[in-house]
Amino acid sequence: MSRSTRAAGRRAAPRASRSRHRSHRARTTSKAIGLTLLSALVPGSGLLMGGRKKLGAFVLTISVGLLLIAAYVGLTQRDSVLALAVSPRQLLIATGAVVLLGVLWIWVVVASHKLLRPVSMTYTGRLAGSMFVGLLCFGIAVPTTVAAQTVMAQRDLVGSVFQSEGNSKSATRPKVTNASDPWAKTPRLNLLLLGADDGVGRTGVRTDTVIVASIDTKTGNTALISLSRNWMRMPFPEDSPLHKVYPDGFWDPNKGNVEQPEYYLDAMYDNIPKAHPGILGQTDNEGADVVKLAASAALGLDIDYYMQVNLAGFRQIIDAVGGITVNVNYRVPIGGDYGEGPGSNTEKKPSGYIEPGPNQKLDGYHALWFARGRYGLSDPSRQERQRCTIHALVNSVNPATLVTKYQQIASAGKQLLRTDIPQEILPAFIQLGLKVKNAKVSNIDLDKNKNFPTGKNPDYTAMQEIIQKALAAQTNPVASTPTVKPTKKPTSGTTTKKPTAPKTTVTPGAAENLNDACAYNPSQTGNGN
């Protein structure tokens, strides 16, 4: 064979290859666009139709495999998903994976269109195809970017709020011995919820809201116990260094049995660390540890962890979830100050009111004042509104809100929360939180009229008895059979009266379901004892 013949054969080979690829191309621009859309919906199909069968089969296999793995993990490996959602390292890896998959998806769409489009295209057809591919790529890039930003927001939230046990210090939290099942030997988890008021014009930090949530770790049933902000003589455990300093509780005996605002419960967070810095040892939040110890001794409960809520962040997170729906039973003041007590400003009247009405949708600003407003109202009414606000917030969070507004929620959460819950047990905490959302939430009435008609000398022993009985009843409920009185058969000529629903009353010391406590009841005034 001559040299010229061999050269001609080599030149002819590429033409044959190009003709084979040409045979797979669409005949019209509209058909090419349709096949490109199919390649975006089923990655790898466009490469197969374009003649790149091995590459197309590989991409298609990987795509189907990833979908099956995602479905399997989502349906059967919830623990693994929860662990990933609260692990900063795994969240960083997940962000990289999301970005890589998005880039590869875009490459598959562009490569498929190049293989499928007609060889001879008009300028209009080429422009239409390019614009359509650009829209597809944009449609892939946007959710990919949002997903990556959401994962990074979650990572930022976890890293900012929750520290690992080794990287944080606490004088009061229990040591983690079994991160996979931390509640194995804990029938009830007691969580201290603090609402810290450090707003503009305030002196120091006041914990105006102090609530203990006692959670049954098996069922998720939760009892909320509100502590009054003006309690004095808050005790400390006997093995605490603070018990030696305040053996008769947090108050000044030299001032006598009078109201001592600087020794109220809401002043402990700020005043004790200032008076006795470092008395509890190494801790990242001495004020919270002080209140944890005092609440434990006062209520007779071992409090495990605290969650401190900044009220400004609370307003932001309410707005992030789209507001909350509550029943307003009486006028609730917006603002107002008595001009007395720790952290108070000069006396002033409220700037407005939240008017009564059922099922009112409140934004963050009004929800905050619904929980905080106290001018002219009693402390128990304020505590009840705070519990109802928490209840409404838990009920308002749904999957759709989390997906669409998660970055806003995470951003607000960074400013909202401060806690000593370690990263190691976050997956277990999330699972417990899911139980709580679907379980019974009740309030334990500590009987103000009997046990703390004023804040000067509360009867903590009596309160402890109430709490123990209420929690024991929740853990071991006893079914009761209602007593039905026989009714006389009406005689002729008499009119039978329709039965009326009995008025719901709460026995002091009993646990009341929050659905009942937060129901619309316009007969309430909010200023009773």
Side-chain angles (χ1 to χ4, degrees), residues 206-218:
R206 296 181 300 157
T207 51
D208 278 356
T209 302
V210 183
I211 298 174
V212 172
S214 184
I215 307 169
D216 187 315
T217 56
K218 301 298 182 184

Side-chain angles (χ1 to χ4, degrees), residues 136-283:
L136 283 179
C137 294
F138 180 77
I140 295 170
V142 169
T144 299
T145 302
V146 171
Q149 290 177 340
T150 301
V151 176
M152 287 303 292
Q154 170 68 7
R155 182 176 184 269
D156 192 24
L157 172 64
V158 172
S160 300
V161 177
F162 303 94
Q163 301 295 320
S164 65
E165 192 175 38
N167 293 333
S168 58
K169 300 178 180 65
S170 172
T172 57
R173 74 180 174 200
K175 185 175 178 60
V176 176
T177 56
N178 182 5
S180 61
D181 188 10
W183 327 129
K185 298 181 179 179
T186 307
R188 298 200 73 90
L189 178 76
N190 297 311
L191 186 65
L192 180 69
L193 307 176
L194 299 175
D197 183 359
D198 51 352
V200 177
R202 301 290 186 183
T203 303
V205 178
R206 296 181 300 157
T207 51
D208 278 356
T209 302
V210 183
I211 298 174
V212 172
S214 184
I215 307 169
D216 187 315
T217 56
K218 301 298 182 184
T219 64
N221 289 340
T222 302
L224 298 181
I225 309 165
S226 295
L227 287 73
S228 184
R229 61 187 291 274
N230 67 335
W231 282 355
M232 286 171 45
R233 307 174 194 252
M234 286 290 290
F236 294 100
E238 292 184 1
D239 59 351
S240 168
L242 288 170
H243 181 74
K244 297 178 181 179
V245 180
Y246 302 102
D248 298 319
F250 184 57
W251 75 304
D252 186 354
N254 295 325
K255 294 182 178 181
N257 188 28
V258 296
E259 294 285 344
Q260 302 177 16
E262 291 304 318
Y263 289 88
Y264 283 168
L265 168 58
D266 69 349
M268 298 179 72
Y269 182 97
D270 203 46
N271 288 352
I272 290 182
K274 287 180 179 178
H276 310 282
I279 190 172
L280 297 179
Q282 293 185 331
T283 174

Side-chain angles (χ1 to χ4, degrees), residues 102-154:
V103 171
L104 291 176
W105 196 358
I106 291 173
W107 175 84
V108 168
V109 171
V110 174
S112 298
H113 182 71
K114 286 183 176 180
L115 289 171
L116 294 168
R117 67 187 180 185
V119 175
S120 299
M121 296 179 67
T122 63
Y123 174 78
T124 303
R126 188 177 294 275
L127 179 62
S130 299
M131 290 180 64
F132 184 75
V133 171
L135 287 173
L136 283 179
C137 294
F138 180 77
I140 295 170
V142 169
T144 299
T145 302
V146 171
Q149 290 177 340
T150 301
V151 176
M152 287 303 292
Q154 170 68 7

